[in-house]
Amino acid sequence: MLGELVVLKEGVYEEIRQARSLHELEEIRIKYLGRKGIFTSVFKCLVRIPKEERKEIGRLANEIKNKVEALISKKKTKIKRREEDFLKRSSIDITLSPPLPDIAKKHPLTKVLDEIIVIFEGLGFQIEEGPEVESSYYNFDALNIPASHPARDMHDTFYITDEVLLRTHTSPVQIRVMERTKPPIRIIVPGKVYRRDADISHSPMFHQVEGLLVDEDTSFAELKGVLTLFVHRIFGEETRIRFRPSFFPFTEPSAEIDISCVMCKGNGCGVCKTTGFVEILGAGMVDPEVFKAVGYDPERFSGFAFGMGVERIAMLKYGIDNIRLFFENDLRFLEQF
Ligand code: PHE
């Protein structure tokens, strides 16, 4: 009996030492100290032991039982304290502000378009719009691009029927506005245009902003002034600007406008093909044939027009090398603006 008590003692001490939770500890307590527990049966056995040994064994059993009670209560305190510490360290701070949800930002094209519009509105230009599905008359004929004209090949047009197409530029809105109003006219026309073209700098759909000013004596000098101011506002005062003679059927004389390369500051790089300049605008004085098409007297009125690609300006402004990035809606790209 004495040996059994020693084994029992070692076993229960070890179990208490191993206990990790209050629940485990309670199970141990029930197992040993409960009404039907091991110590109850030990004391029941005592009656069967010869009297001389009974006293000694009883005393030892009592001692072990008391020790077990003490150990369990000590361990209980220890586990409780550990749990409290853990809660203190990891507890939820309800005064903490919750993380903010992702807030939508403006698309880089919208940002650039907004900037362009603000600059021209400051110069007294008003916004006009026109249809994206256009007739070949407005897109070509009225702009002095007859069917036989080689310039019609300049545009890779999406035709819907022989007479109906997706506009290849915003210039048809010049005609629509001149048809319904009289000079002075001072408008800009932002909008989508379509061409059969797709590579890293061309997309089948892209955005243009057209400008048109018509009055009694408008000069090329004014055109230069307006566009120079625009370039300086959008790309910075240090940007140099170059007017290069060019051709458009609806303007005469015509020019293409280059700016010093924003990437290399004019030193020559891959973007400007080592020329130090990049093209950003087409422009010119409104061709008399266009005035005739809308019933304006070309002897009395003069004007200038210009057109620019919004994607191109955004690409140069932000150093984006692939036009597709604008249309893929990849948040990793969009979140940078
Ligand atoms: N419409 C021309 C284009 O799309 C740009 C332009 C507009 C040129 C107005 C001159 C005047 O290329």
Side-chain angles (χ1 to χ4, degrees):
M1 187 74 190
L2 212 59
E4 282 168 18
L5 270 181
V6 173
V7 173
L8 173 74
K9 179 176 100 174
E10 295 305 327
V12 62
Y13 287 2
E14 182 60 22
E15 275 183 57
I16 295 171
R17 213 175 299 128
Q18 301 266 327
R20 287 281 156 267
S21 65
L22 292 177
H23 175 73
E24 271 174 46
L25 211 55
E26 178 61 8
E27 279 183 344
I28 296 169
R29 193 193 64 79
I30 293 168
K31 177 174 164 193
Y32 289 94
L33 307 173
R35 223 161 21 91
K36 292 176 188 164
I38 290 173
F39 279 100
T40 308
S41 17
V42 167
F43 291 123
K44 271 185 193 153
C45 289
L46 283 179
V47 288
R48 280 184 264 128
I49 294 171
K51 250 194 180 138
E52 343 36 288
E53 290 171 46
R54 195 185 296 163
K55 204 177 163 202
E56 175 63 10
I57 291 178
R59 196 187 51 77
L60 186 64
N62 247 324
E63 209 180 281
I64 299 173
K65 183 179 172 244
N66 290 340
K67 184 81 197 272
V68 167
E69 273 169 356
L71 282 177
I72 287 182
S73 118
K74 216 171 129 192
K75 182 85 186 209
K76 211 179 208 166
T77 320
K78 201 170 149 191
I79 292 180
K80 265 193 185 150
R81 196 175 311 126
R82 216 185 41 219
E83 284 182 351
E84 276 167 15
D85 278 358
F86 175 78
L87 274 177
K88 260 185 218 148
R89 266 184 284 119
S90 66
S91 62
I92 297 161
D93 179 356
I94 55 161
T95 65
L96 211 64
S97 353
L100 288 173
D102 280 344
I103 293 171
K105 301 187 185 79
K106 275 191 183 166
H107 191 280
L109 286 180
T110 310
K111 282 183 74 167
V112 169
L113 193 57
D114 285 352
E115 262 185 70
I116 297 172
I117 287 171
V118 164
I119 295 169
F120 284 107
E121 274 181 344
L123 294 171
F125 287 75
Q126 287 184 345
I127 297 178
E128 285 287 348
E129 284 181 316
E132 290 167 35
V133 177
E134 190 52 284
S135 71
S136 53
Y137 173 77
Y138 286 107
N139 196 80
F140 292 126
D141 302 80
L143 288 162
N144 196 29
I145 317 175
S148 60
H149 201 292
R152 261 194 183 180
D153 299 335
M154 263 168 40
H155 305 286
D156 292 309
T157 311
F158 286 108
Y159 279 95
I160 292 165
T161 68
D162 281 351
E163 292 297 311
V164 182
L165 45 81
L166 295 181
R167 67 180 179 192
T168 58
H169 51 178
T170 41
S171 301
V173 186
Q174 289 188 29
I175 305 296
R176 290 182 173 275
V177 170
M178 285 192 279
E179 273 183 349
R180 64 166 189 258
T181 48
K182 292 271 158 278
I185 289 175
R186 210 183 265 207
I187 56 159
I188 52 163
V189 183
K192 291 184 172 72
V193 301
Y194 302 84
R195 292 182 199 174
R196 290 168 164 276
D197 214 350
D199 59 35
I200 61 162
S201 51
H202 295 89
S203 160
M205 183 283 299
F206 62 103
H207 298 79
Q208 283 191 332
V209 175
E210 187 88 6
L212 175 71
L213 185 147
V214 183
D215 210 334
E216 292 208 330
D217 42 11
T218 317
S219 67
F220 198 89
E222 281 176 73
L223 170 63
K224 283 182 88 169
V226 165
L227 293 182
T228 304
L229 184 138
F230 166 72
V231 166
H232 284 167
R233 289 262 171 91
I234 200 131
F235 287 109
E237 293 288 333
E238 69 289 352
T239 314
R240 279 173 295 140
I241 182 164
R242 180 169 87 176
F243 284 71
R244 199 164 24 79
S246 185
F247 172 79
F248 297 103
F250 36 91
T251 48
E252 181 59 35
S254 302
E256 277 176 320
I257 288 94
D258 301 337
I259 58 165
S260 53
C261 181
V262 277
M263 303 298 161
C264 63
K265 305 273 173 251
N267 295 321
C269 69
V271 173
C272 57
K273 301 193 183 74
T274 72
T275 61
F277 280 90
V278 285
E279 186 210 315
I280 62 148
L281 279 151
M285 302 306 291
V286 179
D287 194 290
E289 290 301 318
V290 173
F291 283 146
K292 280 186 209 159
V294 296
Y296 284 8
D297 178 0
E299 296 300 324
R300 184 171 165 210
F301 295 113
S302 56
F304 61 75
F306 54 86
M308 65 184 94
V310 181
E311 282 79 359
R312 178 142 182 84
I313 290 177
M315 285 170 86
L316 290 168
K317 209 171 149 65
Y318 296 124
I320 297 163
D321 57 8
N322 190 335
I323 197 168
R324 288 186 195 112
L325 288 166
F326 290 125
F327 308 116
E328 282 170 346
N329 288 331
D330 185 334
L331 284 179
R332 290 169 300 180
F333 168 74
L334 295 175
E335 274 171 350
Q336 294 176 44
F337 301 92

